[in-house]
Structure formats: C-alpha cells, structure tokens
Amino acid sequence: MTTDTAPQQRLLVGTYPASGEPGSGEGIWSLELDLGSGELSGARQLVEAVSPSFLALSPGRDVVVAVSETAQGRVRTFAVDGDELVATSDASTGGEDPCHLVVGRGDVLVANYSTGSLAVLPTSADGRLGGSVATFAHTGSGPVRDRQRSPHAHFVLEVSERFVWVSDLGTDEIRRYRRTSTPGVLVADGVAVTFPPGTGPRHIALGADGTAFVVGELDSQVHVVRTAADGSGTLVASLPACSTPATEKGSFPSHIALSQDGTRLYVAVRGPDVLAAFAVEAGDGEVPVVRHLADSPSGVVWPRHHAVISSSAARAEGEEPDRGPVCDLVVVAGQTSGDVTALRVDRETGIADLVSSVPLPAPACIVAV
C-alpha cells in the first residue's frame, strides 16, 4: 500500500565513462527512492570522478570509497557531508582496473581485475587512505581463452572476522586471506574454493548462516558453497542463473544479492537482461535449498549491478504488520542503456514489475545510504 508519507531511501550510483575514454564526464550520482511507490527521482551528480564503477560505505556510513577503474588503478575517499560528498584522499591500488572493494577494519580491500591481485590500502581513523599499499598477485588461468588467459580478481568478501575471500574469474577459484593480529595486515592463505573449469566466479552473496552464493559469469550458474570456520568452502550445489535462453550476446550474470531477511536471492543476467529471483529455503541438512522462482525483464540493457531493498511500505492492503514485506524493491543499473530502474518483486512468485525508471549515464553500481 502506498502512502503519502512513505519514507525516502537515498541511493548513490557509481558510473563508467559516458562516452570515450575514462575521464569523459563520469562521476558519483545521487537518487531518491520512494519506498512506498518505488518512484525514483532527483538524479544529481555529486562529484566528478574518473570511472568510479564501484562504491562502498565505511562501517560508520560517513565515508564513501570509490574505485577508479583504469589502467592506473586508484581509490578515492569522500566524506559524507549532508547531501554532498567531499573528496578527502586518494591512492594507487598497485594494479590495473580495480573493479570491486570493501571497507575493512583499518583498511580498504580492492580487487584489481586486469592484474589479478588483491590490494590492501591502510586507512586512518577518519577513513582517509594513507600508508603503503600491499598487493597479493594471483597466478593461473582457465579454459575460456578470451576471458581466462590470466588471473582476474573480481570480488572481495570478508567471510568472517578472520578470513577474506577474493573471487578470481580468470582461475576459477576463490582465494583465501587471513587477518593477522596487526590491524590492516593480511597474509595469503591458499585457495578456499575451486570451481569447475570455465565457471568464472564473479560476485558472492553471504547468508547469515554462512552459506555463500557465488555467481559464475562464464557458466551462467549460481553455485552454493558451505563455509567452514577455517575460512575454507565446499561446493555443494549448482543451478542455472536464469531460465531465459541466452541471446546472441550470450548469458553473463553480473551481480548477486540477498534480500534483507536472507530468504530471497536476486541475480541480474546480461544478454537476456533479466532479474532472476530465487527462494532460499531450509533443507534437510546444513545447507539451504535454492529454488528458482521467476525471471523478469530488468527494464535495462546490460544490468551490471543492483541493490535489494525490502520495505514494509510495499505490503498489500490488509497484510498484518508482523508478516513482513510481501514485496522487495530492487534497483538496477543499466550500463549500456544508460538508466536506472526500480522493480517491485512479488516475494511469493518472484515476478518483478517495473515501477520507475530514470536516465543516468552508464550506471555501474547502486549503494543505499
């Protein structure tokens, strides 16, 4: 049910170059999402930045950290000042084309895609970058020759307080790193998970029970992984990332994310340009059962990233408050079409309806703030 007093959710959007080479006008944008109607509005560029294709918030949500996905990879920090962002620091990632990062405890952890390495950048108490960057180079390759000739670090996940995972699309592995007693210092700790050749593990969603859901960009599969206390993982199940056939462009899943209650899983798939919805249900053993519900048009071309937002304001008329939301709002970045869409997903059927769309140049990442 929509009300006139529905709260607003602020979103930040990272972008790729609007045209031409990096530096051609891209930056970090702001949007407002009405949690009742799903209406997107107020698109506004906050700062200019070179290829800020992925953003992350500090634990205190007062600092925004952005990659600069170029051959001379860098990371920049911005202080949140009301509705504005103020640049505070920047540093090299020690590698090429950083595509993902997380803000850790006293550091920023970055995946350098083209050099296939993890970068660890120390931060000060106020979130500024400072000190020497440490890099960990991956080795190996895979059978998909145009995509796996070398390592390609793609996603960083703090799987526990002690262990960090880095998915490597080029080597079909998740690398494990262990935190030491010294803040900001990691050591390489081998391979956590090995996938079938040609998987291309890209992004990961981690459930509250420790189950990891890994999307394979190259095999178009969702892989269910059971994690262990020692930071290792065991592949226990795999299923197609969507039921929609591949197009002439192929079928390449991009991002994977859980609903706030962990019972729904959403995968964006480029090529078919759909949002696939899955139910995550209790199974007979320790690992949940993942069940495909539906594919729906994402409303964009080449959906690169999405944010999942559950809202009690999205309940149908007459729903009891303690039953929780019956719909999720999912906001999708359309890299090629140059727009951002809001979809309302029925949690029972998994079917999504397009409720709003706004133009925005080459959006690549959506972050709720």
Side-chain angles (χ1 to χ4, degrees):
M1 179 174 64
T2 302
T3 69
D4 294 335
T5 59
Q8 299 284 312
Q9 174 68 62
R10 189 184 185 207
L11 306 172
L12 296 182
V13 184
T15 65
Y16 273 117
S19 62
E21 295 299 314
S24 62
E26 67 273 33
I28 301 174
W29 290 64
S30 176
L31 284 173
E32 294 292 331
L33 173 67
D34 186 293
L35 295 178
S37 67
E39 189 72 20
L40 292 164
S41 62
R44 182 169 67 96
Q45 186 174 6
L46 300 180
V47 293
E48 290 188 1
V50 177
S51 204
S53 63
F54 201 88
L55 314 174
L57 283 171
S58 65
R61 308 185 75 80
D62 56 350
V63 177
V64 175
V65 187
V67 302
S68 180
E69 191 175 336
T70 67
Q72 295 77 40
R74 300 191 72 80
V75 168
R76 298 183 67 185
T77 64
F78 301 87
V80 178
D81 184 9
D83 291 336
E84 306 297 329
L85 297 180
V86 179
T88 54
S89 66
D90 84 278
S92 169
T93 66
E96 299 177 8
D97 300 311
C99 62
H100 185 261
L101 57 80
V102 296
V103 183
R105 296 176 295 279
D107 53 28
V108 174
L109 310 177
V110 187
N112 288 316
Y113 179 81
S114 291
T115 45
S117 62
L118 170 68
V120 183
L121 286 71
T123 57
S124 60
D126 62 0
R128 296 172 187 258
L129 302 165
S132 300
V133 58
T135 58
F136 299 86
H138 296 178
T139 59
S141 61
V144 183
R145 299 311 299 162
D146 61 335
R147 297 294 308 279
Q148 295 186 308
R149 291 183 181 274
S150 62
H152 292 304
H154 214 307
F155 191 89
V156 185
L157 174 71
E158 290 195 291
V159 72
S160 69
E161 290 188 0
R162 289 191 61 202
F163 295 101
V164 171
W165 281 7
V166 179
S167 63
D168 196 307
L169 184 147
T171 67
D172 295 320
E173 297 167 322
I174 292 177
R175 303 297 178 100
R176 177 177 55 189
Y177 294 87
R178 177 169 40 83
R179 287 195 177 277
T180 69
S181 57
T182 303
V185 177
L186 278 70
V187 295
D189 199 23
V191 175
V193 188
T194 299
F195 295 93
T199 294
R202 180 181 170 97
H203 283 196
I204 311 170
L206 184 65
D209 65 350
T211 302
F213 306 92
V214 184
V215 69
E217 178 174 345
L218 303 183
D219 68 356
S220 198
Q221 296 269 312
V222 172
H223 301 277
V224 183
V225 175
R226 182 174 62 242
T227 64
D230 64 357
S232 64
T234 302
L235 178 60
V236 295
S238 301
L239 68 160
C242 69
S243 61
T244 306
T247 67
E248 67 278 1
K249 296 179 181 178
S251 182
F252 302 107
S254 57
H255 188 54
I256 184 169
L258 286 160
S259 60
Q260 292 177 358
D261 64 3
T263 66
R264 295 296 181 269
L265 186 70
Y266 297 105
V267 179
V269 185
R270 297 162 296 176
D273 293 338
V274 298
L275 182 75
F278 299 82
V280 180
E281 301 167 332
D284 295 334
E286 299 178 356
V287 180
V289 174
V290 180
R291 178 170 57 89
H292 179 260
L293 296 174
D295 296 346
S296 301
S298 64
V300 303
V301 179
W302 219 245
R304 183 174 181 86
H305 191 260
H306 56 275
V308 182
I309 300 169
S310 295
S311 171
S312 59
R315 294 190 190 108
E317 187 78 36
E319 285 290 333
E320 295 296 327
D322 61 356
R323 289 191 60 186
V326 297
C327 295
D328 285 329
L329 289 174
V330 180
V331 182
V332 184
Q335 179 185 341
T336 301
S337 52
D339 49 10
V340 174
T341 57
L343 308 177
R344 178 174 284 118
V345 187
D346 184 296
R347 289 167 58 90
E348 183 173 348
T349 65
I351 297 173
D353 293 322
L354 175 65
V355 293
S356 182
S357 178
V358 294
L360 199 148
C365 175
I366 309 287
V367 175
V369 295

